[in-house]
Amino acid sequence: MTTVITKMITRICLPLVILFSISLLLAGHNNPGGGFIGGVMFASIVALSYVVYGLEEIKKSFSPDWGKWFGFGLVLAACTGFAALPFGHNFFRSAVEILDIPLIGEIEMVSAALFDIGVYFVVIGSLLSIFQMVGEDK
Amino acid sequence: MDPFISITLAVFLPFLLAAAVPAVEKLIKHKVGWFASFVALVSFLLVVSLIPLVMHGEHFQASVEWIPSVGVEYSIYVDGLSILFGIIITGIGIIIMSYSNGYMGHKEDLPRYYQWLLLFMGSMLGMVFAANTIMLFIFWELTSITSFMLIGYWRNRPESVYGATKSLLVTAAGGLFMLAGFIVLRSITGTFDIPTILQNEMLIQAVRGHELFLAALILIFIGAASKSAQGPFYIWLPNAMEAPTPVSAFLHSATMVKAGIYLVARVHPIFSGTDAWFILISGTGIITMLVAGFLAFRQIDIKALLAYSTVSQLAYIMTMYGYATYQEPGIGVAAATFHLLNHATFKACLFLVAGIVAHEAATRDITRLGGLRHEMPITFIIATIGALSMAGVPPLNGFLSKEMFYESSLEMGHALGSPFTFIIPALAVAGGVFTFAYSIKFIAAIFLGKRPEKGLPSHIHDPSFVMIIPAAFLAGLIILFGLVPSIAVQNLVEPTASSIMMETQHLHVKLWHGLTGSLVMTLITFLLGIAVYTRYDSIAKWQNSFNRKYPFISINYIYDGLVNNAKDTLKGFSSFMQPGPVRRYVLALLFLTIVLFAVPFLKLSAGFIPTLNFDVAPYELLVFFFMIIAALGAAMLPKYLPAVISLSALGYLVGLLFIYLSAPDLALTQVLVETLSTIIFLLAIVRIPQTFKERITPSLFMRDALIAVSVASMVFILLINATQGIIPPFESLSYYFIEKTLPLAGGHNIVNVVIVDFRGYDTLGEISVMCLAALGVYNLIHSRGESE
């Protein structure tokens, strides 16, 4: 697995895939994509680099605590349940507001998108922490 | 301020500021207790500001929708009863949290202690101001949980853990009965809202006439009795004394144990005046009062003695709320309410004294204490005031409410007629006699008599002002309410009684009210009490020898048996349900799936001949062909590695198929998940032997083949039915989502909108499961390391 070719490809793919995963996350409301797919995409490229370069090697330069990621995601997702309350909707109802920002144009603000970001973090965090723990286990 | 906002603040400020406690502790170190007291003071002022609102029996209600589809609301109800409880909770809260500053050592885990105290106070306030039964239930169970954490505060002591577990098992389980009772009540009345029932005479009559009346009453009462340690449920309270003493004073004498009484008072207008009410509430009350009062004799730990006396005193209150006849449904209401308030003052005071004694003398064992009156004169005076009030000696507040107890007992006996005219007052006096005896014992054992030669520290003295002032303040209240009862009666007791009785009540409580029947009963109580006190030790000795001879005549014996056996029973059950090899689980799952799906489907599609459509594009056929090969490979290859690769090939092929079927979301997900699971699979299987060891016998093969074929054909039938939309009673859900996604959720991607919006709550559950799975893996890996 650790040939020069895989290393090179992984290196080229890493930024592209991460950007793609973010675009999947943000596009999810209207186009194919969403927090879950984006999260799995992110997790798989990091997993790939773990496999190709070795866990220890990657951890030297990049070693976030994935447990915090899923913790944060879960809290964020749970909190969005309340996001619609100030707009006069019920608990967990998605609030839709359309903002008109000069130069950028109309942007749709949906509280469900925040929820999706929570899902994104939970998926990344839980998958990679499982991955890392199983991988580190001797 | 708007009452709704005041109450919401009073309830939720403790919750919010509890989160700030660790940060505050970093700033002001061990003085963090004063911060907690300050929070309690704020809540107290907020509650007090509402007294004028309810002075004359008025009430106030406001609500915000929560789950409107089932009638669950965040709804608060302010009346005399909830204000009385609110004042007791926050008032005693201030006193306890200030006192804790002296009691808790600076090395203890103070943030955790004050956090849970504040959380408890908030939950308790939420409970008494809740108008909606579901909200009441949630806060009710929160008080059980916070109490669990506080009893188990010293986590390393097995007694603490035992007491905490016991209290949680009993009170939380009782809460579930109460929930069932609320649901029964809703099925009768159609509402979860208590005031709606209280204010509607028709609904109350409907409840009383309903065949489920008794079920609702008994279920709700089980909840109340378990929380207030009544009847057989009293057993958790003595063990709860493992908590730090201020906690015992706060939760287990003044507030939480009164939650059950609150509940009984709250539903009083709905159920009272019936025979069932009187028999259940007063019957349980009288028995508990006598048994707990009697059992207090053999306790040698001063806190255990106080615990039994608390059970017995709560039983007084319970009994009085139970006194009801059809004509006069509220004979004991005013008396019960007044005693409730008085008990909170004198019992909290006595617990604070117990804490002081334990703190200074380093023991709570009455056989090792004695003669401390010279060394701790101030504590002695405070303890005497508290204990005499409990014994019902004038001119203290306990005397007044005890008199009212006797008076209402006389009235109730009179209303029931012979032979109860005599029996009920006699039982009441018996309860009073026990109370008198153990109250005197409390003072005598600690302060009177001779100081033991050894076992006590050489220098014992009154504690610092931080601890003495809260206790002295309560003692002051005891005297004040005794001498000038109108302060408490007019501001707190009358509004409460009015709100329970649903009409304005006027009480005349005076220290001297002539030579009445109740005064005679009090005198008898004193005489008999002194007589019993002289035999105190021999009664205790007799109880001990009885307990040794018949250890099984005890509710604790039954509880321990149940709980200890539960471990073995569950072990048997779980080893039956979880035999080990994963294959068995899969077998059970597949078998159940076949049965559960096949039976209704075969019925529904009977007589229908599906038109099979073999018009499949050639490239799709090719994919199917490879899928079959991959599946066969996964099943038949002899080593793990090729089998796993084959399985993931199958997965990728399915992904390809999704693309043909124009489902990009699914295809993307499928491919990604397949990749990750293959990697994780590979990580795991490098550690295990590479070849399968099992030998597959022909019969095993036949069985597995049979199951595989049935599952496959079932899925086949299911798909044919589903794709042709022929199952009559159902309409495809997708039309709804196609129609509503854009207008309701503002998104074009239906799949994602369903996930994050329509079924957002489901998704929240699912991502919680993902987090739990990660934590589970963590535990698996780390716990294995420990056992090695």
Side-chain angles (χ1 to χ4, degrees):
Chain A
M1 289 294 270
T2 53
T3 60
V4 178
I5 301 172
T6 48
K7 280 189 178 175
M8 207 54 213
I9 291 177
T10 310
R11 181 165 291 204
I12 296 168
C13 284
L14 187 75
L16 292 178
V17 173
I18 288 178
L19 283 178
F20 185 49
S21 92
I22 295 172
S23 88
L24 276 180
L25 164 70
L26 297 180
H29 215 57
N30 294 315
N31 293 305
F36 183 77
I37 301 183
V40 179
M41 175 85 66
F42 189 105
S44 53
I45 189 64
V46 177
L48 181 65
S49 60
Y50 278 166
V51 170
V52 171
Y53 287 93
L55 203 53
E56 296 306 316
E57 196 60 31
I58 296 288
K59 276 173 75 181
K60 274 180 205 159
S61 49
F62 176 66
S63 169
D65 182 354
W66 298 117
K68 284 191 180 145
W69 284 50
F70 72 70
F72 166 75
L74 193 60
V75 170
L76 181 67
C79 287
T80 21
F82 297 96
L85 288 182
F87 297 95
H89 298 303
N90 290 329
F91 179 65
F92 243 107
R93 159 106 193 236
S94 172
V96 184
E97 292 289 316
I98 294 182
L99 290 184
D100 198 3
I101 301 172
L103 297 179
I104 299 176
E106 279 191 357
I107 288 188
E108 218 183 73
M109 299 290 291
V110 192
S111 67
L114 273 179
F115 181 78
D116 223 10
I117 294 174
V119 174
Y120 183 72
F121 277 95
V122 169
V123 170
I124 295 175
S126 54
L127 283 178
L128 284 178
S129 61
I130 291 176
F131 196 77
Q132 193 175 326
M133 282 184 292
V134 176
E136 277 171 351
D137 185 39
K138 290 289 173 297
Chain B
M1 211 189 309
D2 182 44
F4 181 70
I5 298 177
S6 302
I7 292 301
T8 306
L9 275 180
V11 173
F12 287 102
L13 267 187
F15 279 95
L16 289 177
L17 294 177
V21 165
V24 175
E25 199 260 351
K26 287 218 172 63
L27 273 177
I28 56 174
K29 302 288 176 223
H30 58 263
K31 295 206 171 65
V32 64
W34 296 111
F35 170 72
S37 326
F38 174 72
V39 177
L41 178 69
V42 172
S43 287
F44 177 74
L45 293 177
L46 285 167
V47 174
V48 167
S49 72
L50 297 179
I51 293 183
L53 191 75
V54 298
M55 264 302 268
H56 306 290
E58 307 93 325
H59 55 81
F60 169 85
Q61 191 187 1
S63 59
V64 174
E65 277 190 351
W66 183 4
I67 315 174
S69 50
V70 287
V72 175
E73 291 174 328
Y74 170 72
S75 174
I76 61 156
Y77 183 62
V78 183
D79 65 351
L81 180 63
S82 45
I83 288 287
L84 172 72
F85 268 88
I87 285 179
I88 293 178
I89 294 160
T90 50
I92 304 280
I94 302 172
I95 292 169
I96 294 303
M97 290 186 211
S98 316
Y99 174 90
S100 299
N101 283 303
Y103 185 84
M104 298 300 284
H106 295 176
K107 283 184 189 147
E108 300 277 1
D109 185 356
L110 293 178
R112 182 159 59 90
Y113 176 76
Y114 289 108
Q115 255 176 334
W116 286 109
L117 272 184
L118 284 177
L119 288 177
F120 166 75
M121 197 180 79
S123 325
M124 197 69 203
L125 283 173
M127 195 204 88
V128 297
F129 286 107
N132 194 285
T133 44
I134 297 300
M135 180 179 155
L136 192 153
F137 168 75
I138 291 171
F139 280 114
W140 175 283
E141 296 292 43
L142 275 179
T143 62
S144 290
I145 294 168
T146 45
S147 150
F148 169 77
M149 297 306 292
L150 285 166
I151 297 171
Y153 176 74
W154 284 305
R155 307 167 167 166
N156 298 327
R157 298 211 306 224
E159 304 88 18
S160 300
V161 175
Y162 175 78
T165 316
K166 198 174 190 177
S167 81
L168 186 71
L169 282 178
V170 175
T171 58
L176 293 178
F177 278 95
M178 178 187 79
L179 178 66
F182 287 156
I183 292 170
V184 171
L185 203 57
R186 174 177 149 105
S187 73
I188 302 174
T189 61
T191 176
F192 278 131
D193 199 53
I194 307 172
T196 309
I197 306 176
L198 297 185
Q199 286 149 19
N200 190 335
E201 190 58 33
M202 298 258 293
L203 278 182
I204 294 180
Q205 291 308 327
V207 174
R208 294 190 182 185
H210 203 278
E211 54 185 349
L212 286 174
F213 170 81
L214 205 58
L217 174 60
I218 290 176
L219 286 169
I220 292 177
F221 181 66
I222 289 178
S226 66
K227 199 80 164 177
S228 284
Q230 296 298 295
F233 306 113
Y234 85 89
I235 51 166
W236 70 267
L237 193 60
N239 290 101
M241 294 300 130
E242 293 303 331
T245 306
V247 171
S248 308
F250 189 22
L251 276 70
H252 307 125
S253 81
T255 58
M256 190 186 91
V257 287
K258 297 218 168 74
I261 293 185
Y262 166 79
L263 185 66
V264 166
R266 182 48 90 210
V267 299
H268 189 282
I270 305 177
F271 295 104
S272 72
T274 54
D275 289 344
W277 173 269
F278 169 68
I279 294 168
L280 195 63
I281 313 276
S282 293
T284 314
I286 288 176
I287 294 171
T288 314
M289 167 180 85
L290 294 175
V291 172
F294 184 62
L295 288 178
F297 282 50
R298 64 181 280 245
Q299 307 305 322
I300 50 170
D301 177 349
I302 48 178
K303 276 181 79 179
L305 191 151
L306 289 179
Y308 276 90
S309 102
T310 303
V311 174
S312 171
Q313 295 286 317
L314 292 172
Y316 275 37
I317 304 172
M318 208 55 117
T319 310
M320 286 188 269
Y321 277 126
Y323 285 161
T325 59
Y326 186 70
Q327 292 80 13
E328 275 187 275
I331 292 176
V333 166
T337 310
F338 194 30
H339 196 61
L340 175 90
L341 178 66
N342 294 338
H343 177 252
T345 55
F346 66 68
K347 189 53 65 65
C349 174
L350 288 176
F351 265 108
L352 296 190
V353 167
I356 291 173
V357 170
H359 198 259
E360 302 300 327
T363 180
R364 302 195 313 243
D365 188 338
I366 54 174
T367 57
R368 292 169 57 196
L369 288 163
L372 295 180
R373 62 186 177 282
H374 300 302
E375 284 153 292
M376 309 172 86
I378 305 176
T379 315
F380 172 53
I381 294 169
I382 294 172
T384 310
I385 293 171
L388 289 184
S389 175
M390 178 156 79
V393 174
L396 304 168
N397 62 358
F399 164 73
L400 294 173
S401 47
K402 185 72 68 69
E403 287 275 277
M404 289 164 79
F405 172 51
Y406 287 158
E407 203 179 307
S408 57
S409 298
L410 279 174
E411 217 174 301
M412 187 66 211
H414 185 70
L416 286 178
S418 178
F420 294 100
T421 359
F422 174 72
I423 292 177
I424 289 186
L427 291 174
V429 168
V433 169
F434 291 144
T435 309
F436 185 85
Y438 65 65
S439 301
I440 301 301
K441 179 73 181 175
F442 181 83
I443 312 172
I446 303 174
F447 299 102
L448 303 180
K450 257 195 271 171
R451 194 184 201 277
E453 302 280 314
K454 54 187 175 181
L456 287 181
S458 50
H459 293 289
I460 297 178
H461 51 80
D462 276 322
S464 66
F465 285 114
V466 179
M467 288 170 81
I468 209 89
I469 286 178
F473 178 74
L474 285 171
L477 280 185
I478 292 171
I479 299 175
L480 181 71
F481 289 169
L483 292 177
V484 198
S486 59
I487 296 178
V489 169
Q490 277 174 8
N491 292 313
L492 294 171
V493 179
E494 276 182 7
T496 309
S498 307
S499 63
I500 296 173
M501 297 309 300
M502 311 296 288
E503 60 186 21
T504 314
Q505 302 281 311
H506 287 292
L507 304 174
H508 303 283
V509 183
K510 272 189 273 174
L511 208 50
W512 172 252
H513 41 76
L515 193 66
T516 54
S518 53
L519 193 63
V520 174
M521 284 164 76
T522 302
L523 292 176
I524 297 172
T525 307
F526 290 164
L527 289 176
L528 285 177
I530 292 167
V532 170
Y533 179 70
T534 56
R535 310 274 303 154
Y536 194 96
D537 290 331
S538 54
I539 295 174
K541 212 177 277 172
W542 178 82
Q543 286 181 357
N544 281 329
S545 69
F546 181 86
N547 191 46
R548 266 195 301 278
K549 225 188 280 175
Y550 309 102
F552 44 84
I553 305 185
S554 130
I555 298 165
N556 275 314
Y557 183 82
I558 299 170
Y559 168 86
D560 288 337
L562 275 177
V563 171
N564 293 336
N565 286 340
K567 285 176 190 157
D568 294 337
T569 320
L570 286 181
K571 205 190 262 171
F573 180 74
S574 62
S575 56
F576 171 74
M577 289 301 286
Q578 305 185 329
V582 180
R583 185 142 38 88
R584 301 250 186 103
Y585 308 147
V586 178
L587 207 67
L589 283 177
L590 291 180
F591 184 73
L592 261 181
T593 319
I594 296 169
V595 174
L596 290 179
F597 273 98
V599 173
F601 265 108
L602 290 179
K603 244 186 187 166
L604 281 171
S605 57
F608 172 81
I609 300 149
T611 45
L612 293 181
N613 177 8
F614 285 107
D615 183 20
V616 185
Y619 54 85
E620 284 184 18
L621 275 181
L622 202 65
V623 176
F624 283 127
F625 174 70
F626 283 122
M627 278 170 70
I628 292 169
I629 291 183
L632 284 175
M636 287 157 66
L637 284 171
K639 287 186 172 183
Y640 275 115
L641 196 60
V644 167
I645 301 283
S646 196
L647 192 65
S648 53
L650 178 62
Y652 286 121
L653 286 168
V654 172
L656 191 61
L657 201 64
F658 284 143
I659 296 179
Y660 286 148
L661 300 174
S662 44
D665 277 55
L666 284 181
L668 205 53
T669 316
Q670 174 72 26
V671 168
L672 287 168
V673 169
E674 203 55 54
T675 311
L676 265 183
S677 53
T678 306
I679 297 177
I680 291 180
F681 220 142
L682 290 176
L683 277 179
I685 61 168
V686 292
R687 313 264 161 75
I688 53 176
Q690 289 303 303
T691 42
F692 302 111
K693 277 198 185 128
E694 283 167 300
R695 217 177 57 79
I696 296 169
T697 59
S699 64
L700 206 62
F701 180 79
M702 281 305 289
R703 186 196 67 182
D704 290 356
L706 196 70
I707 287 173
V709 170
S710 352
V711 171
S713 35
M714 189 205 71
V715 173
F716 183 71
I717 297 172
L718 192 98
L719 280 178
I720 285 186
N721 281 313
T723 48
Q724 305 200 351
I726 53 90
I727 299 156
F730 306 113
E731 193 194 334
S732 173
L733 268 178
S734 44
Y735 300 114
Y736 172 82
F737 288 122
I738 291 170
E739 209 174 286
K740 301 284 183 186
T741 297
L742 195 56
L744 282 186
H748 292 279
N749 180 355
I750 297 171
V751 176
N752 198 50
V753 166
V754 170
I755 290 176
V756 300
D757 195 328
F758 286 110
R759 316 211 47 161
Y761 207 39
D762 268 17
T763 310
L764 186 65
E766 279 153 17
I767 58 177
S768 315
V769 170
M770 288 192 78
C771 296
L772 278 180
L775 293 175
V777 171
Y778 179 89
N779 272 335
L780 270 180
I781 288 178
H782 287 259
S783 65
R784 193 196 52 195
E786 265 168 36
S787 63
E788 278 165 9

